[in-house]
Amino acid sequence: MAGAVTAIWLVLQAAIASPPALSQTNQTRPEPLTYTGLLEKIEDGDVSRLEVDSARGVAQVYLKGQPEAPQEVALFANQADNDLIIEAARSNGVELAAQSSADSNAVAWLITHALLAFLLIAGLLMILRRSANASGQAMSFGKSRARFQMEAKTGVLFDDVAGIEEAKEELQEVVTFLKKPEKFTAIGAKIPKGVLLVGPPGTGKTLLAKAIAGEAGVPFFSISGSEFVEMFVGVGASRVRDLFKKAKENAPCIIFIDEIDAVGRQRGAGIGGGNDEREQTLNQLLTEMDGFEGNTGIIIIAATNRPDVLDSALLRPGRFDRQVMVDLPGYKGRLGILQVHARNKKLTPEVSLEAIARRTPGFAGADLANMLNEAAILTARRCKEAISPLEIDDAIDRVTIGMTLAPLMDSRKKRLIAYHEIGHALLMTLLPHTDALDKVTIIPRSGGIGGFAKPIPTDEDIVLETRAQLIDRITVFLGGRAAEEEVFGYDEVTQGAQSDIQGVANYARSMVTRYGMSDLGPMALERSGGEVFLGRDLMSQAPEYSEEMATQIDRQVREIAVRCYSEARRLIRENRQLVDKLVDLLVDQEIIEGEEFRKLVAEYTTIPEKDSVPVAAKV
Ligand code: ADP
Ligand code: ZN
Ligand code: MG
């Protein structure tokens, strides 16, 4: 749980040339003429020509014998005062002229910048031309090469998709629509055109869409929403047109639009108003969907993890009127997915897929597939015949935390990390309402992780934490920093606790604003899932409480954090001898398993009974 190195962003601010101020001239003149001086000169007959520039409020004075070097005189703002000069000039036979108001400097500035802009655009166009089309059909981006893929046979069947039984059942019907449309059309039923798959990434939405095509034996057209969105207005729309044209030629078939939220977002929302290109693309998509009859045998399947941001026009009947949830799998689902992906892998008999499924709550199908693959790679690297629980264990760590790096040399830094992690591990063991320690290690991992202390997961697909559990969790989060400060002093604490502190903030704030677990009472002060989001109006994201309430919330959050921190420090302080001993051991062997850890702790103090039951200590 040691933190990553903070990235420091240096923002280079481009110097932007500003136009010269209009009143400023940089020509030096022999002796500045004043208004009175000019009047005198006119009356003396020294002036040959006078150019009045009323916009700038100056007059250019051409003296006799110096036609090249006019002098500039500031005029009064009031026109009536300047009439005096004009009168005098007229009666003395001075040539009078009105000058164009544009400052020559400003004009020069404008010209150079226009030229620059022109060069830039020309350069850009040239680059585009070259990359867009080497074969001479330059600039015809309206007829873009289609970006969609077509698979005649996906080769994926429903058997390859596990753990999302409800979704599969609902989509079974779509297969029938494609295979036997007569069955429905005979009784006058209209076949639905669109199905929207909704769910977090990696849960198998793409796989499911392919399986439908595979089961029905129809071609599979796919495109990602982000590929519609291009720099040029009209490109996306023409891609939509191309896609539907091809699909119609190949009907019956499936069109799969991944990440449809990239194009289908609520129109006219977000920062800076709408996006013309996206809106045109979306309009085209809507038109195409309306344009074909449901019975032509094209079914459009779209996937998103943000259904809330989609334009309501997309969800109307006749478009994506069917929504199918594809959720993170529960225990049974994970087991099913593991079974699918273990089919072609060699496992030792000790590996229990049930135990893996229990230990991986929160894993999506893609994570599980990835984890099994990592285990297979590790097994091959270790020159073993079959995947053993050891590789599974390492693969889970690798997928959840990161790749292992070379251990640190015995140094002050290593000891500091050891104290930090022992702080977490000890509190995890000494507090009653936490999950038991699985292991603590200071083998560094990719992503700037110096080490971690990991609890044994409890098999809970439904998370229902008590206040005591949340408080203990926050205290465990603070254990790392508490150990650093107790041992090395306040000046030596590190930013390694960054992510811990972030965790504290998240949990403590949720306790106050969402779970009603503070002195403020059972009040919902924030909606859950309050992401900053651009797809909807920003205004609706404003907090629903007063400034004064905000202050109170902050105070409550702080109180929780401070109380937990002093508890963490107390426990570390009172067990200092034990902490030192554990650190020595950890520095020496770099990893301490939960069982061993508890045995050592038990020699010094009593370990309280846990109120949560770990599912399985090891795979
Ligand atoms: P999504 O489109 O929802 O982001 P994918 O369908 O692309 O997820 O899933 C990626 C990979 O993860 C799949 O190719 C498959 O190997 C695996 N996978 C995900 N969900 C499942 C599942 N329910 N059953 C079997 N494999 C799955
Ligand atoms: Zn930490
Ligand atoms: Mg996908």
Side-chain angles (χ1 to χ4, degrees):
M1 273 185 218
V5 182
T6 1
I8 298 167
W9 291 88
L10 280 176
V11 179
L12 266 180
Q13 198 150 28
I16 295 163
S18 57
L22 285 181
S23 61
Q24 170 193 324
T25 58
N26 39 17
Q27 284 148 283
T28 45
R29 299 177 190 285
E31 61 191 57
L33 258 178
T34 60
Y35 189 85
T36 341
L38 173 61
L39 212 57
E40 273 168 16
K41 281 237 159 46
I42 292 174
E43 273 156 11
D44 291 353
D46 288 346
V47 181
S48 65
R49 181 182 158 86
L50 198 63
E51 289 176 0
V52 179
D53 185 339
S54 50
R56 283 173 59 211
V58 293
Q60 305 288 345
V61 182
Y62 291 80
L63 296 181
K64 280 199 177 128
Q66 305 176 16
E68 309 311 18
Q71 278 184 274
E72 209 170 68
V73 178
L75 300 175
F76 289 115
N78 191 339
Q79 190 56 41
D81 296 325
N82 295 328
D83 286 348
L84 210 61
I85 291 220
I86 311 238
E87 272 309 298
R90 201 181 290 148
S91 55
N92 282 286
V94 176
E95 200 186 335
L96 260 175
Q99 209 187 38
S100 97
S101 60
D103 184 296
S104 57
N105 279 336
V107 171
W109 177 85
L110 214 80
I111 290 174
T112 46
H113 280 70
L115 206 74
L116 254 171
F118 175 78
L119 280 176
L120 243 165
I121 291 172
L124 254 173
L125 282 181
M126 242 156 76
I127 291 169
L128 270 174
R129 227 162 126 149
R130 216 176 279 168
S131 63
N133 255 318
S135 57
Q137 4 162 320
M139 312 305 281
S140 65
F141 25 67
K143 290 191 114 194
S144 65
R145 296 158 299 146
R147 288 282 189 83
F148 53 83
Q149 282 96 43
M150 182 194 151
E151 286 177 52
K153 286 214 161 43
T154 60
V156 181
L157 294 176
F158 272 150
D159 270 352
D160 301 317
V161 189
I164 34 180
E165 299 311 321
E166 299 84 14
K168 259 164 71 175
E169 233 157 72
E170 278 202 69
L171 293 170
Q172 194 78 53
E173 203 182 29
V174 176
V175 175
T176 327
F177 289 149
L178 288 164
K179 269 176 136 169
K180 296 200 184 80
E182 326 79 56
K183 202 171 142 192
F184 297 88
T185 50
I187 8 174
K190 258 206 187 136
I191 289 174
K193 290 179 192 168
V195 179
L196 187 65
L197 301 178
V198 178
T203 44
K205 298 183 291 298
T206 309
L207 193 69
L208 203 50
K210 284 189 178 175
I212 296 169
E215 288 281 342
V218 300
F220 181 76
F221 290 86
S222 68
I223 188 164
S224 167
S226 56
E227 273 165 309
F228 284 131
V229 184
E230 288 276 343
M231 184 160 45
F232 299 105
V233 176
V235 178
S238 85
R239 287 212 173 119
V240 173
R241 231 174 291 130
D242 286 355
L243 173 64
F244 276 80
K245 192 161 147 263
K246 264 270 155 8
K248 276 177 204 157
E249 288 164 11
N250 289 281
C253 67
I254 286 204
I255 297 179
F256 179 65
I257 305 175
D258 212 351
E259 303 169 50
I260 194 169
D261 42 300
V263 273
R265 207 174 282 170
Q266 185 74 37
R267 281 169 288 187
I271 289 176
N275 169 330
D276 274 343
E277 159 62 359
R278 217 192 57 221
E279 287 186 8
Q280 278 206 14
T281 309
L282 177 54
N283 288 337
Q284 186 65 40
L285 185 63
L286 295 175
T287 315
E288 292 286 351
M289 284 192 82
D290 290 342
F292 68 86
E293 269 306 305
N295 301 341
T296 47
I298 301 175
I299 289 187
I300 306 163
I301 302 179
T304 180
N305 52 354
R306 306 294 320 253
D308 52 320
V309 307
L310 290 183
D311 197 291
S312 43
L314 268 177
L315 305 177
R316 271 217 303 270
R319 288 163 185 165
F320 293 104
D321 43 3
R322 296 209 165 189
Q323 290 197 25
V324 176
M325 290 299 298
V326 184
D327 253 331
L328 284 177
Y331 164 72
K332 272 225 177 90
R334 292 195 297 274
L335 183 57
I337 295 168
L338 285 168
Q339 279 161 350
V340 166
H341 289 274
R343 265 192 232 150
N344 58 357
K345 297 194 173 58
K346 273 197 203 126
L347 304 169
T348 60
E350 296 86 64
V351 174
S352 144
L353 294 183
E354 286 82 5
I356 304 175
R358 281 192 202 290
R359 284 172 60 88
T360 47
F363 273 48
D367 301 325
L368 291 169
N370 183 19
M371 187 274 292
L372 276 184
N373 193 47
E374 284 290 339
I377 291 172
L378 279 176
T379 309
R381 191 179 301 155
R382 291 171 189 173
C383 302
K384 290 189 185 173
E385 298 277 285
I387 302 169
S388 78
L390 206 65
E391 279 77 42
I392 297 280
D393 221 34
D394 288 349
I396 291 179
D397 282 353
R398 193 168 181 169
V399 170
T400 50
I401 299 168
M403 281 198 308
T404 50
L405 306 175
L408 288 174
M409 292 312 214
D410 195 357
S411 64
R412 185 179 160 75
K413 190 167 146 202
K414 187 173 182 177
R415 289 195 86 74
L416 199 134
I417 294 172
Y419 271 106
H420 180 107
E421 298 308 336
I422 290 291
H424 288 308
L426 186 64
L427 294 196
M428 219 182 274
T429 310
L430 291 183
L431 292 169
H433 311 290
T434 57
D435 295 340
L437 179 75
D438 183 11
K439 69 176 165 201
V440 51
T441 152
I442 50 167
I443 299 172
R445 295 202 172 235
S446 56
I449 292 162
F452 61 89
K454 197 173 84 160
I456 303 173
T458 44
D459 173 39
E460 263 165 28
D461 285 327
I462 299 166
V463 183
L464 200 57
E465 280 187 305
T466 64
R467 182 168 187 278
Q469 282 170 333
L470 287 164
I471 290 283
D472 278 3
R473 180 187 291 255
I474 293 173
T475 314
V476 169
F477 264 125
L478 288 164
R481 164 58 63 88
E484 286 179 29
E485 187 168 351
E486 276 302 322
V487 175
F488 297 94
Y490 187 45
D491 282 343
E492 296 297 309
V493 300
T494 67
Q495 40 86 287
Q498 185 187 348
S499 60
D500 301 339
I501 306 250
Q502 191 61 53
V504 171
N506 290 346
Y507 279 102
R509 184 158 284 272
S510 291
M511 283 177 70
V512 177
T513 60
R514 292 206 220 141
Y515 311 151
M517 292 181 181
S518 75
D519 295 348
L520 299 184
M523 281 182 47
L525 297 161
E526 244 154 54
R527 271 170 287 171
S528 45
E531 304 116 286
V532 178
F533 189 64
L534 308 181
R536 292 262 185 227
D537 294 329
L538 282 172
M539 299 315 289
S540 62
Q541 292 288 327
E544 289 151 7
Y545 43 78
S546 62
E547 290 267 329
E548 190 210 343
M549 190 50 116
T551 319
Q552 285 195 46
I553 291 172
D554 288 344
R555 195 176 306 138
Q556 293 285 336
V557 170
R558 185 169 176 277
E559 208 167 277
I560 292 173
V562 167
R563 202 162 357 107
C564 291
Y565 189 55
S566 58
E567 172 68 1
R569 285 191 62 174
R570 183 185 69 81
L571 281 168
I572 303 280
R573 200 179 316 126
E574 288 176 1
N575 293 286
R576 181 59 199 275
Q577 246 191 325
L578 170 61
V579 169
D580 289 343
K581 193 179 158 198
L582 289 167
V583 164
D584 284 342
L585 186 69
L586 186 59
V587 167
D588 186 43
Q589 61 184 42
E590 275 153 1
I591 182 164
I592 305 178
E593 297 286 344
E595 274 313 310
E596 189 183 2
F597 193 91
R598 278 184 282 279
K599 225 187 264 158
L600 288 166
V601 174
E603 287 171 18
Y604 280 77
T605 173
T606 44
I607 298 175
E609 191 92 1
K610 294 280 175 190
D611 60 2
S612 68
V613 185
V615 283
K618 282 285 153 211
V619 173

